[in-house]
Amino acid sequence: HSVKFNKSRRLIAEPKGDGYRIMALITKDGPVFYTRNMNTEPYTSNLQFLARQLRKLPVGTTIDGELVRDEFNAVAQWRTEHLSDDDIAEMARDTVWMVFDIHDKRVKAGERLEERKKRLRKMVSDTENIMVVPSIKIKDEAHLYKIYEKAIDNGWEGLVVKDLDSLYHPGVRKDAWMKMKAFETRDGKVIGF
């Protein structure tokens, strides 16, 4: 994808980890973790170490992020049913949830990314397992590619370039957010073997 620049468009870049998109909805019974496909289990059971760090958030808040581990294939272990407490503690040592957006039904409709980012930084703190993803305002195309090269050199999968005026669409890919990765991926459906 190429990023379109114009004087009216305000863009930021954020490092992209290689993991699973996981969102957390804060309910009266505690956080419920779910995937883009709305699968909640076994994530809600397995990610209680993250849930404990989110309990102070208001009911109705959704936190959006990427669950990453030292190796991409290791992230899949969080899908395992009935992990022991020892397994979870061991896996948590190299797991970080890179949070990048927040949504709250009580906040006015049409809240732009710029305001959501401010609210996210006020409500969620970096911990051993939670990282509020840093954002860099993009000046121009040359600046973007310099940041991209640095992200790749630092071991990130790439960048996500976001329009500061974009609205929140949970788990949906929109043109206001563009991935820049060192490789191209495609989704497909197995129709036979």
Side-chain angles (χ1 to χ4, degrees):
H1 299 290
S2 63
V3 178
K4 304 284 189 243
F5 285 90
N6 63 49
K7 292 183 186 212
S8 65
R9 197 161 186 208
R10 300 176 313 127
L11 301 175
I12 59 171
E14 299 177 342
K16 166 119 179 50
D18 192 9
Y20 286 170
R21 178 97 174 257
I22 297 287
M23 291 156 272
L25 172 63
I26 312 305
T27 71
K28 64 180 176 50
D29 298 321
V32 173
F33 292 90
Y34 60 98
T35 66
R36 188 180 296 141
N37 297 327
M38 304 305 291
N39 297 324
T40 60
E41 287 301 331
Y43 295 103
T44 297
S45 299
N46 290 342
L47 299 176
Q48 286 303 300
F49 68 100
L50 292 175
R52 288 188 287 278
Q53 300 170 56
L54 301 174
R55 291 197 191 282
K56 66 181 189 256
L57 296 176
V59 170
T61 302
T62 298
I63 304 294
D64 202 340
E66 188 89 0
L67 192 66
V68 299
R69 289 187 70 191
D70 287 348
E71 294 182 30
F72 175 75
N73 291 336
V75 179
Q77 291 177 307
W78 287 115
R79 294 188 311 196
T80 306
E81 300 277 346
H82 311 296
L83 288 171
S84 71
D85 289 344
D86 289 340
D87 288 339
I88 289 172
E90 178 66 30
M91 290 163 55
R93 287 190 185 111
D94 74 344
T95 297
V96 175
W97 188 34
M98 298 175 61
V99 298
F100 50 73
D101 211 340
I102 189 169
H103 177 70
D104 188 334
K105 293 178 184 175
R106 299 168 304 163
V107 175
K108 65 179 173 117
E111 184 182 32
R112 306 288 181 213
L113 178 62
E114 187 170 33
E115 288 84 33
R116 295 194 315 270
K117 287 287 187 186
K118 289 175 187 171
R119 203 156 43 83
L120 177 64
R121 288 183 190 99
K122 286 180 185 174
M123 295 178 74
V124 180
S125 300
D126 286 348
T127 68
E128 183 178 336
N129 298 105
I130 296 176
M131 175 183 135
V132 179
V133 177
S135 302
I136 300 170
K137 287 189 179 181
I138 302 302
K139 299 172 193 166
D140 55 34
E141 192 169 356
H143 183 226
L144 173 62
Y145 283 99
K146 183 177 178 183
I147 293 167
Y148 171 75
E149 293 298 329
K150 189 171 186 178
I152 298 298
D153 290 345
N154 287 331
W156 295 106
E157 183 183 31
L159 295 175
V160 181
V161 179
K162 299 178 180 180
D163 190 322
L164 279 172
D165 294 316
S166 63
L167 304 177
Y168 183 73
H169 301 282
V172 177
R173 292 183 179 141
K174 296 280 185 178
D175 287 341
W177 292 15
M178 298 276 285
K179 293 180 187 177
M180 290 180 67
K181 299 191 291 188
F183 54 89
E184 188 173 328
T185 58
R186 300 221 185 251
D187 293 332
K189 182 186 265 187
V190 177
I191 58 171
F193 62 94

